[in-house]
Amino acid sequence: MAKRKRETNSREVDSTVKKLPAVTGMHISPSPLSQEKGGALEVKPESTATSTSLAPILRVITGSYEHQLLCLSLTTGISAFLLKDPDDTQSSAANLFTPVFHFAPHTASIRSIAHAKRYLVTGGNDEHIRLYDLQKRKEIGTLMFHEGSVTCLEFVTAVAGEEDNAQERSASGHGKWLVSGGEDGKILVWRTKDWEVLADMKGHKGAVNDISVHPSGKIALSVGRDRTLRLWNLMTAKNASVLKLTDGEAIQVCWSPRGDKYSVGWQRKIVIYDMSAKPLSSIDLKSPLYRLRYASLTNTNDNGEREQTAYLVSSDSTGTITFRDAAKATEENIPIAFELTAHSTRVKDFDFYTRTPPPILCSDGQNASAMVSTFMSSVSSDGKIVIWNLNARQPIAVYQTNERLNCCTLVAEEVEKPDSMRRVDKEAAESEYESE
């Protein structure tokens, strides 16, 4: 039986926690001065000409060093889904943030965050994993199995026998299991139906720095302070293999979208391995690494055809997010495809979300399915949340929190609409993701 604490009275987030001042009727747009110096953002009055063509498209949730959990809803016009001139600041000014909730669920720094379906989890230096129901805006419990800071969280979003849908996973995920890692060296597998610990996988002789679950959901990788890379069989909850890392303590690990290779990141180095743990590519970094993940983006090739490209994405201490073309990697180089900069200091986390424009934004002659866009959120110690359109490779909105941000995730705007959630039978509804 898992050692966990249940709150007897779920807390209504939207009625009992501190809220941010309303920003309705104001546009928050990137200011060149604020991007360079990390200062206050430029705030412009809303134009009545664009007020009828705006719609909320996503929510960004971030945790901070100051124990705060912040959720913002981003409202935009159709321009957020279109390629535009980089000097076009008017369309960026038509984007606004609306605070959804802002409170302190942890008693120490929030280190990790993850979501699946309507449920959100956060891990902190207080050794707790907090649970939330985003649809009801409620805190629904606390998991207290770790005996150290909770350093990483990831839902298992693959379903056996079901074809993967990147947009569906990006919007909600499946999340029947949760994997957590901590400074106590433990890796736990939680069953989210009742939040019981299915497996306590021990092996690391020190803190677990990062975890990455394979796209199949059957295996996972972890790196730790003991300078090892470990492969876990999630079906048997056993440590399948151990690789001693001669380059020292790795801090990041991630599977490629196809699951045929993986990447390991040190403070000043990134190495791509194949499934036999053979190094394929290696590069040295000029600035300390903070986050390493893969992303699949749709690009247009020389023949005018749209194709998926896998990028290895990293962030560093200079505030730069770098996209490397993994398909063009050689033994001594992973070529840089493009770089994005909007932060003044270290970027601690980023996340991706793919969707089509809401119907209300599309005119009669526009095909929403042809305008599918991938968005990215990035957060930094400079306090800024930046939302990017990766199709255009440009920032579309910036929000200054005045907090030191550690982690973030992007959630579908429709998370609070009951009809957007997959229907289940009554018996399953009473047991799955127990919330009261």
Side-chain angles (χ1 to χ4, degrees):
M1 179 73 70
K3 182 179 73 174
R4 72 190 193 283
K5 174 183 175 183
R6 286 276 184 186
E7 293 186 346
T8 55
N9 294 316
S10 299
R11 183 157 56 147
E12 294 278 358
V13 173
D14 57 344
S15 61
T16 64
V17 302
K18 181 181 70 174
K19 280 191 173 183
L20 293 177
V23 292
T24 305
M26 306 294 285
H27 289 311
I28 303 176
S29 61
S31 166
L33 181 61
S34 69
Q35 291 192 31
E36 292 177 3
K37 299 184 178 181
L41 296 178
E42 179 184 2
V43 180
K44 300 181 180 181
E46 181 177 3
S47 169
T48 57
T50 62
S51 61
T52 58
S53 59
L54 300 177
I57 63 169
L58 57 82
R59 293 186 178 187
V60 57
I61 306 175
T62 182
S64 72
Y65 184 84
E66 289 78 12
H67 324 168
Q68 299 293 318
L69 186 68
L70 169 65
C71 177
L72 299 169
S73 173
L74 176 63
T75 297
T76 71
I78 191 62
S79 61
F81 294 83
L82 304 174
L83 299 176
K84 60 182 184 294
D85 189 320
D87 297 327
D88 179 13
T89 58
Q90 184 175 0
S91 58
S92 294
N95 303 326
L96 62 96
F97 285 103
T98 302
V100 178
F101 57 77
H102 188 201
F103 67 113
H106 291 268
T107 58
S109 171
I110 299 176
R111 292 278 298 274
S112 52
I113 191 169
H115 90 279
K117 290 187 177 179
R118 57 196 261 190
Y119 295 92
L120 178 79
V121 294
T122 56
N125 282 347
D126 57 5
E127 305 181 359
H128 295 170
I129 299 174
R130 299 287 288 169
L131 313 175
Y132 318 88
D133 184 331
L134 295 175
Q135 186 174 346
K136 297 181 179 179
R137 296 193 195 179
K138 283 185 177 180
E139 296 177 75
I140 59 176
T142 303
L143 306 179
M144 300 189 298
F145 202 100
H146 283 286
E147 298 176 344
S149 299
V150 181
T151 56
C152 41
L153 295 165
E154 185 171 347
F155 281 99
V156 180
T157 55
V159 176
E162 181 174 319
E163 184 178 354
D164 184 43
N165 183 310
Q167 186 167 347
E168 181 184 349
R169 287 182 60 188
S170 176
S172 61
H174 302 292
K176 291 187 176 181
W177 300 277
L178 171 69
V179 182
S180 64
E183 288 192 344
D184 54 5
K186 295 179 180 179
I187 296 177
L188 305 177
V189 180
W190 305 82
R191 181 175 58 202
T192 57
K193 181 174 69 174
D194 51 12
W195 299 109
E196 292 290 341
V197 174
L198 294 182
D200 180 356
M201 303 190 298
K202 298 177 182 178
H204 283 288
K205 306 302 181 183
V208 179
N209 291 332
D210 196 20
I211 294 172
S212 181
V213 177
H214 190 269
S216 68
K218 297 179 180 180
I219 57 177
L221 289 169
S222 65
V223 291
R225 197 168 294 167
D226 58 1
R227 301 184 178 184
T228 64
L229 168 70
R230 295 177 182 266
L231 175 67
W232 304 90
N233 185 330
L234 298 181
M235 301 295 101
T236 62
K238 300 294 183 180
N239 192 176
S241 66
V242 180
L243 176 65
K244 293 184 179 180
L245 302 173
T246 58
D247 291 314
E249 177 185 349
I251 57 176
Q252 293 285 292
V253 63
C254 58
W255 286 102
S256 66
R258 293 184 177 180
D260 58 345
K261 60 177 68 74
Y262 57 89
S263 295
V264 177
W266 289 260
Q267 273 207 334
R268 297 275 184 171
K269 187 176 183 179
I270 297 174
V271 178
I272 299 178
Y273 295 88
D274 65 12
M275 293 297 289
S276 64
K278 175 185 177 182
L280 299 177
S281 305
S282 177
I283 56 169
D284 293 325
L285 304 175
K286 296 180 180 179
S287 302
L289 173 73
Y290 276 90
R291 193 63 163 155
L292 183 67
R293 286 295 179 264
Y294 277 92
S296 292
L297 303 181
T298 302
N299 297 314
T300 302
N301 59 26
D302 296 336
N303 299 324
E305 301 172 340
R306 296 173 68 83
E307 60 182 10
Q308 287 284 323
T309 302
Y311 293 98
L312 184 58
V313 189
S314 62
S315 63
D316 61 30
S317 62
T318 68
T320 301
I321 304 172
T322 303
F323 288 70
R324 292 180 168 85
D325 193 334
K328 297 180 180 179
T330 62
E331 186 176 345
E332 298 180 350
N333 186 35
I334 311 173
I336 295 176
F338 60 96
E339 295 181 318
L340 303 176
T341 304
H343 296 281
S344 59
T345 185
R346 53 187 177 272
V347 177
K348 300 295 288 292
D349 197 9
F350 48 80
D351 194 25
F352 306 98
Y353 173 48
T354 301
R355 69 161 299 160
T356 57
I360 192 174
L361 296 182
C362 300
S363 62
D364 294 338
Q366 289 179 316
N367 181 5
S369 61
M371 290 189 289
V372 59
S373 296
T374 298
F375 298 94
M376 179 181 73
S377 61
S378 60
V379 296
S380 167
S381 299
D382 63 8
K384 288 192 292 186
I385 302 172
V386 181
I387 306 297
W388 306 80
N389 181 327
L390 293 182
N391 297 62
R393 301 178 184 176
Q394 297 169 13
I396 61 172
V398 181
Y399 191 92
Q400 176 59 261
T401 66
N402 295 315
E403 297 174 10
R404 291 167 290 179
L405 305 179
N406 289 329
C407 52
C408 68
T409 187
L410 288 174
V411 179
E413 176 61 33
E414 296 79 8
V415 69
E416 286 189 18
K417 296 181 180 179
D419 58 356
S420 70
M421 311 308 297
R422 186 175 65 179
R423 294 188 179 183
V424 295
D425 57 60
K426 183 178 180 180
E427 182 179 353
E430 291 175 350
S431 62
E432 186 177 45
Y433 293 108
E434 184 181 3
S435 61
E436 296 188 15

